[in-house]
Amino acid sequence: VSSCQPCCRRPYGEGQRVTMTSQKQNDPRIVIISGYSGCGKGTVISRLMEKYGNYAFSVSMTTRDPRDNEIDGVHYHFVTNERFEKMISEAGFLEYAGYTDNYYGTPAAFVHENLAAGRDVLLDIEVQGAMQIREKIPEAILIFVSTPTAAELENRLVSRGTETPARVSKRLKRAVEESTEIWRYDHFVINDTVEEAADMINGIIREGAAAPLPSREFMETFTKELIEINERREREGK
Ligand code: 5GP
């Protein structure tokens, strides 16, 4: 097993599974926060960082267009397809994935540098990327954030007002797939209020608290309701 970066104190193998027995409670961790588009995880992450110190947020690279309120280098590094593919060829990503017609990826150097500096690194990434990291870095903590109900997810996505109805529909379709992948995560947090969700996530990371996955019944109901919402939107021509 070799270190993937000289600055990294842990033996991450590129593309190989490494069992870590020496992970200590207070070692800096990679924390993956996934969740449906529109579930409010971005706001929860901001609150978490503001309220509790020593977190670093990994700014992803993406080929999608910036939204009106988004700042290059803060919310994302917005790049062309060409630039993204060059970064892939240079093995510059810890993980990357395609999501609704665009590329998204986690630049590796930032993550390694911050872990080496003793900070827990937060990654807001989707399921495929989360699984790539789980393979490479088993001690990463995987948290899935959800709205309380599927109807609330549609409400938040629509009222956010950042996507066209067609894009909202694409994201809700993707949410159906994501809802069947939750069992792969370690923890499940319902974002009912931002404050509670941020506190809960901090407890998971810093105090080893558990936020158990929901029952099979909860997950099946959520998926079923999402499918019904998608069918209704299709009938409405959205
Ligand atoms: P959005 O376009 O709404 O900002 O993000 C769409 C999805 O891409 C979200 O689920 C978000 O978590 C995910 N995402 C953002 N950055 C990355 C990344 O670097 N890698 C992966 N795999 N997913 C990402």
Side-chain angles (χ1 to χ4, degrees):
V1 174
S2 60
S3 286
C4 52
Q5 292 270 320
C7 64
C8 180
R9 289 185 279 124
R10 293 203 221 118
Y12 302 156
E14 272 291 327
Q16 58 189 331
R17 196 172 169 88
V18 183
T19 305
M20 294 298 300
T21 49
S22 58
Q23 176 78 38
K24 292 191 216 76
Q25 177 71 34
N26 54 1
D27 273 356
R29 307 285 286 263
I30 291 184
V31 183
I32 295 176
I33 302 183
S34 299
Y36 309 115
S37 176
C39 75
K41 61 191 182 301
T43 316
V44 172
I45 291 171
S46 298
R47 185 66 191 129
L48 176 66
M49 294 184 67
E50 188 180 84
K51 189 164 177 184
Y52 301 100
N54 216 30
Y55 285 113
F57 178 68
S58 160
V59 178
S60 295
M61 202 172 264
T62 183
T63 57
R64 86 149 160 73
D65 292 332
R67 297 181 186 129
D68 283 349
N69 60 337
E70 287 179 330
I71 302 163
D72 189 28
V74 175
H75 298 94
Y76 281 106
H77 301 289
F78 295 100
V79 298
T80 58
N81 261 303
E82 202 178 27
R83 169 89 177 82
F84 198 101
E85 282 164 2
K86 184 161 182 281
M87 183 95 163
I88 296 174
S89 71
E90 292 165 350
F93 290 116
L94 198 56
E95 63 71 39
Y96 69 92
Y99 177 94
T100 63
D101 308 333
N102 286 294
Y103 277 134
Y104 294 80
T106 304
F110 177 89
V111 175
H112 294 304
E113 282 159 19
N114 279 279
L115 287 175
R119 286 185 279 272
D120 294 311
V121 183
L122 305 174
L123 272 58
D124 169 351
I125 67 175
E126 53 66 75
V127 180
Q128 302 168 70
M131 292 311 130
Q132 291 175 44
I133 293 196
R134 161 127 293 168
E135 275 295 306
K136 285 188 189 172
I137 308 162
E139 68 272 24
I141 301 173
L142 271 64
I143 302 172
F144 195 93
V145 178
S146 173
T147 46
T149 62
E152 176 63 12
L153 182 65
E154 185 192 21
N155 281 343
R156 287 190 197 171
L157 254 181
V158 171
S159 62
R160 189 164 83 177
T162 54
E163 316 290 330
T164 61
R167 281 196 186 160
V168 168
S169 295
K170 257 192 183 171
R171 280 158 191 264
L172 286 169
K173 282 192 185 122
R174 180 65 182 244
V176 174
E177 291 160 34
E178 289 169 338
S179 71
T180 64
E181 305 268 19
I182 291 173
W183 61 273
R184 295 169 176 268
Y185 283 75
D186 303 318
H187 302 277
F188 181 78
V189 171
I190 292 185
N191 178 19
D192 209 348
T193 73
V194 171
E195 202 65 25
E196 279 172 0
D199 290 346
M200 195 175 285
I201 292 174
N202 187 66
I204 292 167
I205 302 165
R206 298 271 160 88
E207 288 148 34
L213 297 184
S215 65
R216 176 188 284 258
E217 193 188 356
F218 177 95
M219 290 202 228
E220 283 175 359
T221 305
F222 202 102
T223 307
K224 189 170 151 272
E225 285 173 6
L226 272 176
I227 292 169
E228 285 165 7
I229 288 169
N230 286 329
E231 286 169 354
R232 190 203 75 231
R233 292 180 65 87
E234 227 160 81
R235 284 197 301 277
E236 292 169 354
K238 290 178 182 159

